[in-house]
Amino acid sequence: MVDPLSGGPGGVPEPLARQADPHLVELPAVPTDDPRWILVEEGFTLAREHEVESLFAIGNGYAGTRGSLAEGSALSTPATFVAGVFDSDGSSLPGLVSTADWTRLSTSIDGQPLRLDRGRNLEHRRILDMRQGIFWREWQHQDEAGRITRVRVLRLASLADRHLLLQSATITPENFSGRIFVDATLTGPVVQVTGSGTTVAMAVARRVMNPTGRWTPSTELIQGRQGLELRLGETYRLDRVVALHTSRDTADPREMAHRHVERAIDNVAGIIGDHRDAWLARWQASDLRIEGDPATQRALRFAIYHLLSAVNPQDDRVSIGARGLSGSAYKGHVFWDTDIFMLPFFILTYPEAARALVMYRYHALAAARAKAARLGYRGAFYAWESADSGDDVTPPFVVAPDGQVVRLLTGEQQLHISADVAFGVWNYWRATGDDRFLVEAGAEILIETARFWASRAERGDDGRYHIRGVIGPDEYHETVDDNAYTNGMAQWNLEVAAEIANLVADRWPEPWQALSRRLGIEPDEPRQWQQVARDLYTGFDERTRLFEQFRGYFGLEEIDLAAFVPRTAPMDVLLGRERIQRSKIIKQPDVVMLVYLLWERMAPEVRKANFEYYEPRCGHGSSLSPAIHALVAARLGDTALAERYFRQAAEIDLADSMGNAASGIHAAALGGLWQAAVFGFAGLRFCEEKPEHHANLPPSWHSLSMRFQWRGQWHELTLPEGAERKKAEEDS
Ligand code: BGC
């Protein structure tokens, strides 16, 4: 046997390049290659960089890191956000804090920085591996002097241990030997203290594998910066593990992070293995398989991947912001997006995570009560936008696209949020049967929101109750009276609160006594809620079967949206704020949203009439809009229209069709896409307290299969079923 280190046969040392086995030093994992599980960005288009950073973000619900280039580019904005850690500069509203950039890795060869915008990129690819929750990069670069270097990187936010972030990179000079300088220091402070006193601490550990596959005890590189003499074909690998802790979860985050990372750095393979297992287990529960349409399959997995990346079942004091942890739009604030658009996915496939989300609303009750009281009402008026405390953090002003500073009324007028929160809570309880949650938290939310409606609705001369001065989901029309969605959902909220109060009083008399004492519930109160619900004006016209979106809506100017096709800007920009307010054009489903949420309460002709009336008047100025149209169209049996809207919804992030994916993925649109597939095309519903389905699959979907949990039991849904399936197989 020849000892490779003492030379080849005859004792002549072989050139070092051949001595080092090129396969010895590799990244510690391999990417998934099935195109239905990956998103690939080939090449490099500087103008798209922010969008790629959002789409390729990694996250585990505790922290999220944008898919930025490790060495940076003219447009890179690397950011890592930590759920629940907000800061404001004193004058402005709290926004998610961005930590030090732990992914930074810059390399130079004989003093020349290795960058995408210099020399030639012979190969450059980023892969979002949704199956394993890993971001990959493969780069072969030729510099001005003709030197070719290959860089491979993987990056992940551990789903098995949410405090760990990991990056591993290999570097190989492919046609030269030379001096390579590597800088893997973090940019930014490793310990930050927010204005409200939250400490965020990062600790980093690095290790280096030399071309013989041994860990080198180089303290220099371990500290972050080092020059390496690399010979042709040799590969070095740098592993970097970051532990992230905050004073939200431990008393001494700095110490905790240090101890954590010291243990972790020697277990990189274990961390990756556990992370991958955690993702595979999540996919077991949450995957939605579509045969026959790979693009749709990938779009749905993209939606599921980002929803899962944004949620943390271990922390019920945080929720999911409008852009998850993938970007800074809306400052990380939480809207009805979570309760209505994202929550159903979690309820059915990840109930522990759903519980954390509804408990976030429970912890926010005090702030919601204070908001109601401040405005002179009883009960709970939830924040339109909230951050960590549940206080309303809606900005009072915005800058309109034409540069005008406009007063933003959504915080005061978008009352429907209270019913949306209640709806989410009830949905969670109904699907999980989590009675403990109902008794300890859910009932209180339902009751306090009902109380808000009972005090906010005013009795008019017509003897009916009215809710005046609101904004419905359609934000193009402000300060309107009797918005159908708001009133419809308030009515639902009042009725359900009364039912739940009676149920809890009946089934759990002792906790009920305690709750009604604590909240001062009068014995007659549930009956009063029922009465307000009964007499609440709904805007429904028996003759036409239409709900008027708000008082006076039917008298507004009719504008034909078809005349604006193809359109490059939202309708409010094209027409201006004033004109749009005087028109029937709406931003997003409002009555149609009500039809969807209260489906079981609406007669089939009512669902159809309202969809047919409002759908052509919707400008889809919100990313929340197309998926709901897809869902309702699918339920109504218009599969072609549903498919068109479904594609439109999928393209919001994947094709950046609204032009704003740069500041984060659209989490509500992704939740909506999942709902359109499950509740729309698959037609899953829960009538008579049990699951049933009325499928209307698009012709290209040969089959759809998924698992979901209902009252603690897993169910399999495979469509089409039995005979229908056989026929579809024969036909295809
Ligand atoms: C939509 C709201 C949504 C918010 C955050 C707005 O443009 O109109 O319905 O909650 O964005 O996604």
Side-chain angles (χ1 to χ4, degrees):
M1 213 177 91
V2 179
D3 175 0
L5 290 178
S6 71
V12 183
E14 286 193 49
L16 262 175
R18 263 185 286 148
Q19 234 179 54
D21 180 345
H23 299 295
L24 207 55
V25 182
E26 294 276 5
L27 287 181
V30 284
T32 302
D33 60 8
D34 182 337
R36 292 166 305 179
W37 282 103
I38 56 177
L39 194 67
V40 182
E41 175 72 12
E42 287 284 351
F44 174 62
T45 311
L46 183 62
R48 268 176 43 77
E49 197 47 24
H50 286 166
E51 179 192 331
V52 173
E53 290 178 326
S54 299
L55 269 59
F56 286 67
I58 50 164
N60 58 20
Y62 182 81
T65 297
R66 282 167 70 77
S68 309
L69 296 165
E71 73 285 0
S73 71
L75 276 187
S76 294
T77 44
T80 293
F81 302 105
V82 186
V85 180
F86 291 87
D87 206 359
S88 54
D89 55 19
S91 55
S92 73
L93 294 159
L96 273 178
V97 171
S98 173
T99 68
D101 177 21
W102 65 277
T103 66
R104 196 175 88 95
L105 181 66
S106 51
T107 308
S108 48
I109 299 161
D110 291 341
Q112 295 300 312
L114 199 67
R115 289 174 63 95
L116 280 165
D117 52 10
R118 299 210 178 168
R120 282 174 63 204
N121 300 303
L122 304 178
E123 206 181 320
H124 186 250
R125 182 176 309 114
R126 277 172 282 183
I127 301 174
L128 180 70
D129 184 336
M130 303 183 278
R131 188 158 183 267
Q132 305 188 83
I134 297 177
F135 165 97
W136 302 91
R137 184 177 180 202
E138 175 86 43
W139 182 22
Q140 192 193 29
H141 179 269
Q142 183 174 38
D143 68 10
E144 279 99 342
R147 286 171 297 209
I148 299 178
T149 311
R150 182 173 289 277
V151 176
R152 291 196 171 96
V153 182
L154 76 77
R155 189 191 286 172
L156 60 88
S158 171
L159 196 65
D161 178 345
R162 289 187 158 83
H163 296 276
L164 291 181
L165 305 162
L166 186 148
Q167 188 181 48
S168 183
T170 61
I171 178 158
T172 314
E174 293 197 326
N175 67 349
F176 70 99
S177 298
R179 188 170 168 77
I180 296 194
F181 185 80
V182 178
D183 182 347
T185 50
L186 306 196
T187 48
V190 289
V191 177
Q192 279 166 277
V193 183
T194 68
S196 57
T198 304
T199 304
V200 182
M202 270 185 166
V204 57
R206 305 173 187 87
R207 62 177 191 171
V208 180
M209 185 188 270
N210 72 19
T212 68
R214 295 208 186 90
W215 296 109
T216 61
S218 153
T219 41
E220 267 180 276
L221 193 48
I222 289 169
Q223 280 163 12
R225 280 198 188 99
Q226 187 181 349
L228 302 166
E229 289 301 333
L230 249 69
R231 268 173 278 213
L232 177 85
E234 288 184 345
T235 300
Y236 267 87
R237 178 174 131 198
L238 168 69
D239 288 347
R240 169 161 54 186
V241 179
V242 170
L244 185 57
H245 288 266
T246 79
S247 54
R248 290 186 67 254
D249 35 79
T250 185
D252 189 347
R254 213 184 295 213
E255 172 65 19
M256 187 69 135
H258 279 290
R259 271 192 299 170
H260 200 162
V261 86
E262 264 166 37
R263 269 180 281 127
I265 190 64
D266 293 324
N267 183 32
V268 166
I271 293 169
I272 295 175
D274 292 348
H275 167 76
R276 194 171 33 209
D277 289 349
W279 267 101
L280 296 185
R282 281 281 24 104
W283 283 112
Q284 281 279 324
S286 298
D287 195 16
L288 179 59
R289 286 170 302 278
I290 305 282
E291 296 293 338
D293 187 342
T296 295
Q297 172 69 87
R298 193 176 39 201
L300 281 163
R301 287 197 173 129
F302 178 79
I304 295 171
Y305 165 81
H306 275 293
L307 290 167
L308 292 174
S309 300
V311 82
N312 182 2
Q314 290 156 350
D315 188 349
D316 67 11
R317 293 194 171 257
V318 298
S319 185
I320 307 177
R323 303 299 182 95
L325 295 169
S326 72
S328 58
Y330 294 112
K331 294 176 174 279
H333 294 174
V334 179
F335 295 72
W336 71 315
D337 301 35
T338 318
D339 312 81
I340 298 295
F341 292 81
M342 305 176 214
L343 188 61
F345 162 76
F346 296 111
I347 290 176
L348 291 188
T349 77
Y350 198 1
E352 310 89 286
R355 192 180 212 275
L357 297 175
V358 286
M359 283 304 291
Y360 166 83
R361 291 303 194 183
Y362 183 65
H363 298 306
L365 246 184
R369 282 193 188 103
K371 181 177 170 187
R374 210 170 39 247
L375 296 165
Y377 303 107
R378 294 189 73 200
F381 179 9
Y382 274 91
W384 176 243
E385 297 185 28
S386 62
D388 47 354
S389 65
D391 288 327
D392 201 313
V393 291
T394 310
F397 297 97
V398 278
V399 180
D402 60 2
Q404 254 189 68
V405 176
V406 180
R407 175 108 165 78
L408 197 61
L409 299 171
T410 54
E412 291 140 57
Q413 296 194 359
Q414 230 162 138
L415 267 53
H416 67 84
I417 178 74
S418 274
D420 303 328
V421 168
F423 194 78
V425 159
W426 176 82
N427 239 343
Y428 167 78
W429 169 72
R430 185 178 69 141
T432 57
D434 184 349
D435 290 338
R436 184 159 169 213
F437 165 78
L438 182 73
V439 175
E440 291 176 3
E444 191 170 336
I445 294 178
L446 286 160
I447 289 167
E448 289 291 59
T449 46
R451 278 180 154 174
F452 170 66
W453 295 118
S455 69
R456 181 62 169 74
E458 310 155 63
R459 202 189 267 284
D461 298 339
D462 56 356
R464 309 286 300 267
Y465 282 96
H466 299 271
I467 303 177
R468 302 197 173 99
V470 306
I471 301 176
D474 161 29
E475 296 179 345
Y476 288 167
H477 297 93
E478 299 174 330
T479 325
V480 300
D481 295 342
D482 287 325
N483 166 248
Y485 178 86
T486 306
N487 289 21
M489 292 299 287
Q491 190 176 50
W492 172 91
N493 196 162
L494 289 156
E495 285 172 16
V496 168
E499 276 167 33
I500 293 291
N502 294 335
L503 177 93
V504 176
D506 225 43
R507 292 216 340 231
W508 299 281
E510 274 175 36
W512 173 253
Q513 292 286 317
L515 182 66
S516 48
R517 252 198 317 275
R518 185 156 59 79
L519 302 184
I521 302 170
E522 302 294 332
D524 194 37
E525 250 189 281
R527 212 194 42 76
Q528 289 169 22
W529 302 332
Q530 279 163 333
Q531 193 203 327
V532 177
R534 198 192 54 220
D535 294 341
L536 196 61
Y537 180 87
T538 62
F540 183 65
D541 179 343
E542 285 292 346
R543 197 179 46 83
T544 58
R545 310 254 147 191
L546 294 179
F547 287 94
E548 182 170 35
Q549 189 181 294
F550 51 83
R551 292 263 192 167
Y553 175 87
F554 287 145
L556 296 179
E557 183 190 359
E558 201 68 80
I559 293 180
D560 183 11
L561 275 172
F564 292 83
V565 176
R567 183 147 52 85
T568 48
M571 285 310 294
D572 57 333
V573 175
L574 294 178
L575 294 182
R577 271 170 61 80
E578 306 207 329
R579 174 100 191 273
I580 205 134
Q581 288 187 359
R582 292 196 311 268
S583 83
K584 282 189 186 169
I585 294 177
I586 61 177
K587 183 179 182 187
Q588 63 200 90
D590 194 301
V591 171
V592 169
M593 198 73 212
L594 184 71
V595 167
Y596 163 44
L597 295 181
L598 303 186
W599 190 263
E600 307 305 335
R601 297 176 160 221
M602 309 263 176
E605 0 21 299
V606 174
R607 300 167 184 157
K608 190 164 178 288
N610 283 281
F611 183 77
E612 284 175 357
Y613 184 85
Y614 287 102
E615 185 264 333
R617 292 173 172 82
C618 183
H620 307 288
S622 159
S623 67
L624 279 53
S625 189
I628 299 303
H629 280 84
L631 192 163
V632 175
R635 279 194 175 180
L636 293 175
D638 191 343
T639 317
L641 184 65
E643 262 194 287
R644 216 189 73 210
Y645 275 124
F646 189 86
R647 262 197 307 277
Q648 195 179 330
E651 284 171 2
I652 291 169
D653 285 323
L654 291 173
D656 191 20
S657 60
M658 296 185 77
N660 59 5
S663 46
I665 53 89
H666 296 77
L670 298 175
L673 193 76
W674 182 89
Q675 292 193 58
V678 174
F679 303 133
F681 293 121
L684 186 64
R685 281 193 252 157
F686 303 95
C687 314
E688 315 262 318
E689 304 307 302
K690 63 176 195 318
E692 56 180 63
H693 56 82
H694 309 263
N696 260 323
L697 298 190
S700 61
W701 298 17
H702 298 163
S703 71
L704 173 153
S705 54
M706 65 176 293
R707 303 175 72 208
F708 64 90
Q709 226 187 78
W710 174 258
R711 309 242 162 116
Q713 299 242 318
W714 282 102
H715 295 253
E716 304 276 340
L717 177 66
T718 304
L719 296 168
E721 285 185 312
E724 230 182 297
R725 184 179 181 78
K726 231 171 124 215
K727 181 165 180 318
E729 278 164 7
E730 279 163 16
D731 291 350
S732 67

